[in-house]
Amino acid sequence: MSDNCLFCKIAKGEIPSQKVYEDAKVFAFRDINPQAPVHIVIIPKKHIAALASVSESEESILGHIQVAASKIAAQFPELKNGFRLVNNSGADAGQTVFHIHYHLLGGRSFGWPPG
Ligand code: 5GP
Ligand code: ZN
């Protein structure tokens, strides 16, 4: 837990969210400003600021998040034909909340390259 971190508070239930998945290491909830019909934010319960600052000791939690993303995607029929998993690391990438998180997006088609 990092003081005054929005996503730490959401993971602890101190700030309400629409939870879609939780296990011992991961919490996932609907994005408040969805960019697709399905837009889920997946976070580790452990506070890590950004992908740019992970250490090798965090390798297992990063893998755990991807497996969780696959399980969550399987819950949504809208994602049966595909989904996108996005991490924004740092200001230039558009990161606004500095607790590492992955956007699980789907229910529409996406362009490439991303904007
Ligand atoms: P970032 O821009 O850092 O990659 O993504 C942060 C995401 O968190 C944004 O998509 C934003 O809409 C979402 N978000 C910010 N504050 C809240 C909140 O209080 N509740 C929920 N559910 N999502 C939030
Ligand atoms: Zn945090």
Side-chain angles (χ1 to χ4, degrees):
M1 171 75 180
S2 181
D3 288 348
N4 289 320
C5 171
L6 173 65
F7 284 177
C8 281
K9 289 179 179 171
I10 286 177
K12 293 180 78 177
E14 294 174 4
I15 290 175
S17 69
Q18 283 185 266
K19 181 173 84 172
V20 299
Y21 177 86
E22 181 175 13
D23 64 29
K25 297 178 182 169
V26 163
F27 192 89
F29 54 96
R30 290 197 182 261
D31 197 288
I32 204 167
N33 183 23
Q35 302 300 311
V38 177
H39 186 172
I40 308 299
V41 179
I42 307 172
I43 64 173
K45 290 183 173 177
K46 176 183 178 184
H47 182 87
I48 301 168
L51 190 56
S53 62
V54 295
S55 64
E56 292 209 8
S57 66
E58 286 150 347
E59 191 174 291
S60 68
I61 185 62
L62 297 177
H64 191 93
I65 288 170
Q66 292 215 46
V67 175
S70 179
K71 289 181 191 168
I72 296 163
Q75 293 179 16
F76 290 90
E78 303 96 311
L79 307 190
K80 69 178 188 307
N81 290 326
F83 57 85
R84 189 168 281 183
L85 187 65
V86 175
N87 171 260
N88 297 323
S89 183
D92 277 3
Q95 186 176 6
T96 59
V97 179
F98 283 80
H99 178 130
I100 192 170
H101 54 278
Y102 290 75
H103 300 262
L104 175 62
L105 298 142
R108 66 171 172 87
S109 58
F110 297 99
W112 191 263

